[in-house]
Amino acid sequence: MSPFYFAVAILAVGLAFPNFVRGENTPRVIEIQAKKFEFTPNEIHLKLGEPVVLRLKSLDRKHGFKVTELGVDAVIKPGAATDVALIPQKKGTFHFHCSVFCGSGHEGMTGVIIVD
Amino acid sequence: MKKKDFDRREFLKLSGIGAGAVFASSLGVFPKKLGGNSIWAAGENADFYFLQLSDTHWGFEGPKVNPEAKVTLKKAIQTVNSLKFKPDFIVFTGDLTHTTDDDKERRRRLREFKEIVQGLEIKNLRFLPGEHDASLDEGLAYKEVFGETYYTFTHKGIHFIALDNVSDPAGNVGDVQRNWLKAELNKLPKDVPIVVLTHRPLFDLMPDWDWATKDGKQVVDLLMPYKNVVVFYGHIHQENHHMTGHISHHSAQSLIFPLPAPGSVPKKAPIPWDAAHPFRGLGFRSIEEEKQKAAEIKEWPVVKA
Ligand SMILES: [Cu+2]
Ligand SMILES: [Fe+2]
């Protein structure tokens, strides 16, 4: 849960991006779709130090996106994307899961971020 | 608080409550001291016990997990009715029904559950929602059938506070309810005995498994100035005993399927049914409140041995 692992910002689309998002060093955007009861993709590969934006979208109802170890906990509502900007500071596998109860398959709505 | 810490003499001394056949059960009944000594000294007329039943998940189907899903609750009701000494009341700490996407079916399950528990001889029943009952429609159907999702009541000098940490599907108690709680607590002297009833743990037991309340720390902070607070909850389908400062937190077993110990397996999944030990890991609990004494918890099996 150390803040040194990642620099994280959760943004609503359209709000000002942090410095690294502007300018020539545009981050890679990775779209993640959430629907009952899975994330697509559910395995996300990131490179150490590479700024990325995880663009979270829901295809059906409210879901959550929580990476406990990184202190990320976002709500994903249908109709609007939720952006999570981060710069991986540490190699490893980080589990994420849906943190908004969404029904019978909620428990299985999980995935991993792999930083190498 | 570990089982090995239990005092055998204390155990024998306590055989007064609900004794009889269930007490002699091979599953064992473990009395526990709650959060320090004599925490109930202020409970003037306290001398009674109540039952906590939890996570009945009415409507659940899964033959490998519980082939007796349709009768487990009914058997537990029989066992409760057979207790020699009657509890003053019974509280159900959430997940009365198993989740369904169908609003109609959710209402049907809630009503059917309510009908089944009318089979209890004790008519003083209190209910709380779990995320399975209330998270998909933010408590709408639950409220239609059972009324308010958070409330207080007083019983023989003890203040009970039922908190809702499930109508918000993200697992917050929320500002509105926390302000309400603050106002309720302000009415109480600091040494009054308080029992908090809720579904999810109010502390971070295992956040990756949703075994937490997002603003649980803020709730516990509101309770901290009060000297005699005990929390009973459900959700994790097993016994767990935990302290945050002087406040003790006790989760109950389920009446549908047990779940693994926090973090003991990579993925949280129900523990499969064991035909050699039917109903293993399931049960309900009694909580005895006595003047000048710490409350005592006992765990009871679904079916008498
Ligand atoms: Cu979900
Ligand atoms: Fe449950």
Side-chain angles (χ1 to χ4, degrees), chain A residues 2-93:
Chain A
S2 162
F4 303 109
Y5 289 177
F6 274 62
V8 174
I10 298 171
L11 306 161
V13 172
L15 289 186
F17 275 26
N19 285 333
F20 70 78
V21 179
R22 293 194 223 105
E24 54 298 342
N25 202 2
T26 311
R28 180 158 65 103
V29 175
I30 301 167
E31 190 169 306
I32 303 171
Q33 289 184 340
K35 69 165 199 278
K36 292 186 290 184
F37 298 101
E38 58 186 5
F39 290 104
T40 315
N42 59 11
E43 191 180 308
I44 295 147
H45 289 266
L46 304 180
K47 286 192 186 71
L48 197 69
E50 180 204 18
V52 291
V53 169
L54 305 180
R55 184 152 295 163
L56 309 165
K57 289 181 178 171
S58 169
L59 301 184
D60 44 30
R61 51 156 293 125
K62 215 197 250 183
H63 291 285
F65 180 81
K66 182 167 182 179
V67 203
T68 307
E69 250 189 292
L70 308 179
V72 173
D73 193 1
V75 171
I76 320 167
K77 290 176 185 161
T82 301
D83 282 4
V84 174
L86 42 88
I87 305 171
Q89 306 280 306
K90 195 183 182 232
K91 286 186 184 178
T93 301

Side-chain angles (χ1 to χ4, degrees), chain B residues 55-57 94-95 131-132 199 234-237 254 256-257 259:
Chain B
D55 296 88
T56 50
H57 287 256
D95 283 355
E131 79 281 7
H132 281 253
H199 183 66
H235 190 54
I236 69 162
H237 295 212
S254 155
I256 194 69
F257 54 75
L259 286 167

Side-chain angles (χ1 to χ4, degrees), chain A residues 36-37 61-62 66 68 73 97-104 106-108 110, chain B residues 98-99 101 131-132 135-136 138 168-170 200 207-210 214 267-268:
Chain A
K36 292 186 290 184
F37 298 101
R61 51 156 293 125
K62 215 197 250 183
K66 182 167 182 179
T68 307
D73 193 1
H97 72 281
C98 174
S99 54
V100 171
F101 186 83
C102 59
S104 55
H106 167 71
E107 318 285 351
T110 58
Chain B
H98 197 68
T99 191
D101 276 351
E131 79 281 7
H132 281 253
S135 279
L136 294 190
E138 305 194 354
D168 171 0
R200 295 167 177 272
D208 269 350
W209 288 4
D210 287 343
K214 242 167 236 183
K267 263 200 174 164
K268 175 180 66 168

Side-chain angles (χ1 to χ4, degrees), chain B residues 150-152 160-164 173-187 222:
Chain B
Y150 58 93
Y151 53 88
T152 65
F160 289 83
I161 304 175
L163 292 179
D164 171 5
V173 168
D175 292 343
V176 173
Q177 197 185 163
R178 283 206 318 277
N179 287 333
W180 166 86
L181 173 64
K182 208 170 165 182
E184 288 298 314
L185 289 171
N186 276 338
K187 298 177 197 163
L222 290 175

Side-chain angles (χ1 to χ4, degrees), chain B residues 107-304:
Chain B
R107 283 174 175 77
R108 197 195 63 76
R109 287 182 191 181
L110 286 164
R111 288 201 192 98
E112 196 168 59
F113 170 87
K114 198 178 180 184
E115 216 175 280
I116 293 165
V117 299
Q118 295 313 308
L120 285 159
E121 280 167 22
I122 299 301
K123 296 301 173 196
N124 189 355
L125 307 178
R126 303 281 177 171
F127 301 96
L128 271 80
E131 79 281 7
H132 281 253
D133 306 303
S135 279
L136 294 190
D137 65 1
E138 305 194 354
L140 196 70
Y142 177 90
K143 280 190 225 165
E144 281 172 27
V145 181
F146 290 101
E148 281 315 312
T149 60
Y150 58 93
Y151 53 88
T152 65
F153 63 97
T154 304
H155 190 83
K156 295 184 177 168
I158 294 177
H159 288 265
F160 289 83
I161 304 175
L163 292 179
D164 171 5
N165 49 15
V166 297
S167 288
D168 171 0
N172 287 290
V173 168
D175 292 343
V176 173
Q177 197 185 163
R178 283 206 318 277
N179 287 333
W180 166 86
L181 173 64
K182 208 170 165 182
E184 288 298 314
L185 289 171
N186 276 338
K187 298 177 197 163
L188 304 175
K190 296 286 186 284
D191 60 350
V192 78
I194 296 171
V195 172
V196 175
L197 305 165
T198 193
H199 183 66
R200 295 167 177 272
L202 290 175
F203 61 96
D204 278 354
L205 176 57
M206 185 75 195
D208 269 350
W209 288 4
D210 287 343
W211 288 1
T213 299
K214 242 167 236 183
D215 55 355
K217 166 96 173 56
Q218 285 158 274
V219 173
V220 169
D221 285 349
L222 290 175
L223 294 164
M224 278 318 264
Y226 295 82
K227 292 188 194 105
N228 303 321
V229 183
V230 180
V231 182
F232 294 101
Y233 67 101
H235 190 54
I236 69 162
H237 295 212
Q238 64 195 285
E239 258 191 277
N240 187 283
H241 306 279
H242 180 86
M243 301 294 294
T244 55
H246 64 284
I247 300 176
S248 62
H249 304 254
H250 308 271
S251 62
Q253 296 175 95
S254 155
L255 284 168
I256 194 69
F257 54 75
L259 286 167
S264 60
V265 288
K267 263 200 174 164
K268 175 180 66 168
I271 294 171
W273 183 262
D274 178 354
H277 304 94
F279 304 107
R280 177 139 84 178
L282 308 181
F284 60 92
R285 102 172 357 144
S286 61
I287 298 116
E288 186 189 18
E289 311 286 9
E290 254 189 288
K291 258 181 280 183
Q292 312 296 329
K293 257 185 78 183
E296 303 286 351
I297 302 178
K298 288 186 189 127
E299 307 300 334
W300 304 76
V302 175
V303 188
K304 281 192 198 180

